[in-house]
Amino acid sequence: PHPDQMHFDELPNEIIECIIGLTLDSYGRTDVKDLQTFASVSRRWKHIVLDCPSLWSYISIAWDRINQTLGLKLKRSRGNLLEVDDSTIRAELISCHEILGAAMHRLRTLSSAQSQTEALPSLVGLDLTGLERLSLAIPLYHSAVHQQIGPTPRLRSLTLEGVALTPTVGHFGGLQELTLANLPIPSSMIQNLFIIIQNSPLLQSLTIQSILDKDASAASLWPNSDGTLELPRLTHLTVRYSETSLASSLLHSISAPKLQFLLVEGNTRPPMSVQFFKAATESNTRQASLITSILENTKPKDACLEIEYGYRLMLFLPVGAPRYRLKLVLLDGGLPEGMDEIAALINNVWTSSTFTPPSGIIVKLAGIEDSGTKPSNIDFGFLLELPDVQVITIASTLSGRVALLDFLTKSNSHPSIRHLHRLEFIGYQDQWEDETFELLARAFADQRESLRDTVPSLPVLTIRFGTRCIISPRPKPCPEQDYDDS
């Protein structure tokens, strides 16, 4: 070997342990047969494998019981903390704490997803001081399970699906990730869950999904008298498929000055979605809105807000993608009610934030004729409420295209669309319709070009439809060249 290179046999044992760990399955652990294969390479490797407790510390309850390797792993992992996966459904109603017995106090990670509540582990009276990650789940069609848990000072991640915990002050002081899902439970138990949230000052990621209690009162759920849920370190917030008043109340009440990511999904039709927009965009004297926090925590060069509004996906605000525009996407079922109000809210956040706004807004429209509205009655007026529209993409038949083009023609000089530089008409391609539409598109482009005397900063406008493309101002013809016939 080269003088500067080390022979493989000279590698320290710790490096070989890491190499073995990296060659295992996607969970970072594997079954005993694979470990025995590594141990058969050489005497040194056998010593390393048998003398490394961390390689034996991952336990799959179902797999290790089938292969009768559970006892071997408990022995060779010695006193090392265990990562236990109990997510495979078992036929017998026996929980993992009955299977592991005294080894339960060695848990670092426990994941248990069961079809029967009796198979979930009991955590009462256990020493869980080493537990860092806990996930408990039962199907939504069961009644919620009420669990109690002892002190968990090292717990960093908690996922509860169909399971509620009795809160105790100080139990979750170090919690950083929390997921609460599938809880068709009374208001009192929902309030207990929010007490857990309130008692987690280090919380960085919060997911609320499918909490469907329709009797939950908004302000009464919050521990603070002013109805504010203070989460000073929260950076990621997700609210999915929960009862509308509860979800909007949660969005309105959370104060998260370091928020960078917000995802809101619902399964109700408009105008319920307007409540989500209001809750996420409206500030008050006590706290900034969630979207304002996102804008202020994002560098201008990294800003990308995507707002999708439709039947399924109501509000989507990822930040950090390498695109510099806000994207407003309207999907499924026509233009919803309240679009003027939503556009005004976006405009208010855009203009009032101390954040330097990114360069313009992208608007994508799809299914605008699905609601049964006649194309001539489609109201595109909300576009004029937005602060700086630069790109519009629409999937529509000829009538929808004509309606949008007619609206833009009448509003060509409006400040909201003054920086429009791209129009895309996609889908429903037909050669005859494209030829008919080309005349209208060219007339619009020429009319817009006529504004250049009064608005010299007008950008070049590109209109795409089918295989055709119209550019305004018209490309200058190539200068004629003189050829020497000789």
Side-chain angles (χ1 to χ4, degrees), residues 204-271:
Q204 298 176 15
S205 175
L206 173 61
T207 298
I208 303 291
Q209 180 167 318
S210 299
I211 296 184
L212 304 174
D213 179 48
K214 297 184 179 180
D215 299 324
S217 174
S220 66
L221 295 177
W222 314 128
N224 288 352
S225 58
D226 62 356
T228 303
L229 195 58
E230 299 284 348
L231 299 174
R233 297 195 179 187
L234 190 72
T235 58
H236 287 65
L237 173 62
T238 299
V239 181
R240 285 190 176 119
Y241 306 120
S242 294
E243 197 274 323
T244 303
S245 63
L246 180 63
S248 59
S249 177
L250 176 68
L251 293 173
H252 195 271
S253 299
I254 284 181
S255 174
K258 293 187 177 182
L259 192 67
Q260 298 177 7
F261 177 93
L262 172 64
L263 170 60
V264 181
E265 291 184 80
N267 52 8
T268 58
R269 290 187 177 276

Side-chain angles (χ1 to χ4, degrees), residues 98-355:
E98 299 175 81
I99 298 171
L100 294 176
M104 285 291 287
H105 75 281
R106 293 166 51 193
L107 290 177
R108 172 186 282 130
T109 299
L110 173 60
S111 176
S112 181
Q114 300 297 328
S115 61
Q116 301 294 327
T117 58
E118 293 85 354
L120 283 174
S122 174
L123 306 177
V124 179
L126 297 178
D127 179 4
L128 300 175
T129 53
L131 189 64
E132 297 178 4
R133 302 180 69 88
L134 175 62
S135 176
L136 302 175
I138 61 170
L140 181 60
Y141 54 78
H142 280 280
S143 299
V145 177
H146 187 204
Q147 279 271 18
Q148 292 183 330
I149 187 172
T152 52
R154 297 178 62 181
L155 190 65
R156 298 294 179 265
S157 175
L158 176 61
T159 299
L160 301 173
E161 298 184 24
V163 179
L165 288 182
T166 299
T168 304
V169 176
H171 275 191
F172 307 107
L175 199 63
Q176 297 177 6
E177 300 176 6
L178 177 60
T179 298
L180 306 172
N182 300 345
L183 294 171
I185 57 180
S187 300
S188 59
M189 297 184 79
I190 292 180
Q191 188 172 19
N192 286 346
L193 295 175
F194 286 116
I195 292 175
I196 294 176
I197 299 174
Q198 185 67 43
N199 290 334
S200 304
L202 303 182
L203 198 63
Q204 298 176 15
S205 175
L206 173 61
T207 298
I208 303 291
Q209 180 167 318
S210 299
I211 296 184
L212 304 174
D213 179 48
K214 297 184 179 180
D215 299 324
S217 174
S220 66
L221 295 177
W222 314 128
N224 288 352
S225 58
D226 62 356
T228 303
L229 195 58
E230 299 284 348
L231 299 174
R233 297 195 179 187
L234 190 72
T235 58
H236 287 65
L237 173 62
T238 299
V239 181
R240 285 190 176 119
Y241 306 120
S242 294
E243 197 274 323
T244 303
S245 63
L246 180 63
S248 59
S249 177
L250 176 68
L251 293 173
H252 195 271
S253 299
I254 284 181
S255 174
K258 293 187 177 182
L259 192 67
Q260 298 177 7
F261 177 93
L262 172 64
L263 170 60
V264 181
E265 291 184 80
N267 52 8
T268 58
R269 290 187 177 276
M272 292 299 184
S273 301
V274 179
Q275 297 183 25
F276 293 155
F277 271 82
K278 282 186 175 181
T281 57
E282 288 184 335
S283 302
N284 55 47
T285 56
R286 299 188 305 271
Q287 66 196 57
S289 71
L290 296 179
I291 293 182
T292 299
S293 296
I294 289 175
L295 290 173
E296 293 179 349
N297 290 327
T298 306
K299 297 179 181 179
K301 292 183 179 180
D302 296 329
C304 176
L305 305 186
E306 298 183 14
I307 302 179
E308 299 189 21
Y309 180 103
Y311 174 62
R312 292 184 60 236
L313 191 55
M314 303 304 184
L315 175 63
F316 187 50
L317 296 173
V319 173
R323 288 168 289 177
Y324 311 146
R325 296 182 179 85
L326 184 149
K327 185 184 296 183
L328 177 62
V329 185
L330 308 182
L331 303 169
D332 301 333
L335 294 181
E337 298 177 10
M339 275 310 305
D340 287 344
E341 188 174 6
I342 290 174
L345 289 170
I346 294 173
N347 190 19
N348 182 58
V349 171
W350 188 278
T351 56
S352 63
S353 175
T354 57
F355 168 81

Side-chain angles (χ1 to χ4, degrees), residues 414-431:
H414 195 279
S416 292
I417 59 173
R418 188 168 293 173
H419 296 137
L420 181 68
H421 63 81
R422 190 178 188 88
L423 265 175
E424 292 188 358
F425 299 88
I426 59 179
Y428 309 104
Q429 294 185 11
D430 179 270
Q431 182 176 358

